[in-house]
Amino acid sequence: QLQLQESGPGLVKPSETLSLTCTVSGGSISSSSYYWGWIRQPPGKGLEWIGSIYYSGSTYYNPSLKSRVTISVDTSKNQFSLKLSSVTAADTAVYYCAGEDGGWEAFDIWGQGTMVTVSS
Amino acid sequence: SSELTQDPAVSVALGQTVRITCQGDSLRSYYASWYQQKPGQAPVLVIYGKNNRPSGIPDRFSGSSSGNTASLTITGAQAEDEADYYCNSRDSSGNHLKVFGTGTKVTVL
């Protein structure tokens, strides 16, 4: 059974780059059945899709964040990563990694989430 | 990009039926998936595709769609169904861009 775990700094300074990694266990990240995505949730607010990556490397980004986002995959480590540049306080949120079934296009596997605060 | 709009909050008496709706242009072409989120927890998929439930999701949860509106129905709501619910689908611009609905807080009275 696939499981996901986010890791990375909980505090990032304004204007710097937020970097998170999601480790996939219980299966291969190279599965052709899944897209791997990042979703965030500011405190007290709703969910926002940040972007997704296919194991082949194809990426899809939220147009509102596209200029600042990079998602990459490391198949040798069974991990995928998020980089969000030039962060501000508005990027403070719980960040979730998730696995999306490519056939049904539903996020059926979620990490527990990690809180990232942008503050000096 | 497109938007998916949900009512901010609905309430339902214990054991009664509640329908949560999600409206957006992309729903004319793509199915919505639905997620339940309880405080302090990650979202959980409850409905996907035309009307499919993952293993472990009670059959009181069902989904439907008509035109630009997708619906999640809870038939015989239980206290443990009190949560936030979000729909998700493709952006109408295509190319595997995704968008979440604005979310609905369900209160079980």
Side-chain angles (χ1 to χ4, degrees), chain A residues 40-98:
Chain A
R40 70 180 182 179
Q41 185 171 38
K45 297 188 177 181
L47 300 172
E48 180 180 33
W49 175 76
I50 299 170
S52 296
I53 189 166
Y54 196 48
Y55 79 97
S56 62
S58 298
T59 52
Y60 310 88
Y61 298 138
N62 185 324
S64 68
L65 299 170
K66 186 175 182 177
S67 63
R68 299 194 292 132
V69 173
T70 301
I71 297 176
S72 59
V73 64
D74 187 336
T75 55
S76 67
K77 294 182 179 179
N78 233 29
Q79 296 176 334
F80 62 105
S81 298
L82 168 71
K83 292 188 185 299
L84 180 65
S85 64
S86 305
V87 297
T88 69
D91 295 310
T92 294
V94 175
Y95 284 76
Y96 296 99
C97 61

Side-chain angles (χ1 to χ4, degrees), chain B residues 18-97:
Chain B
V18 62
R19 174 177 291 181
I20 305 161
T21 60
C22 172
Q23 289 189 303
D25 288 342
S26 64
L27 299 178
R28 297 183 184 278
S29 304
Y30 303 106
Y31 288 122
S33 52
W34 290 92
Y35 304 84
Q36 177 192 71
Q37 187 181 35
K38 297 181 179 179
Q41 297 183 18
V44 173
L45 176 67
V46 294
I47 290 290
Y48 64 96
K50 188 174 183 179
N51 180 21
N52 300 294
R53 286 176 288 105
S55 174
I57 300 301
D59 60 5
R60 62 179 178 270
F61 290 90
S62 62
S64 62
S65 185
S66 178
N68 74 335
T69 302
S71 300
L72 172 70
T73 300
I74 309 174
T75 304
Q78 302 299 303
E80 61 264 32
D81 300 333
E82 185 163 295
D84 293 326
Y85 291 83
Y86 295 91
C87 59
N88 177 266
S89 187
R90 272 207 195 192
D91 185 288
S92 56
S93 63
N95 218 20
H96 209 87
L97 302 184

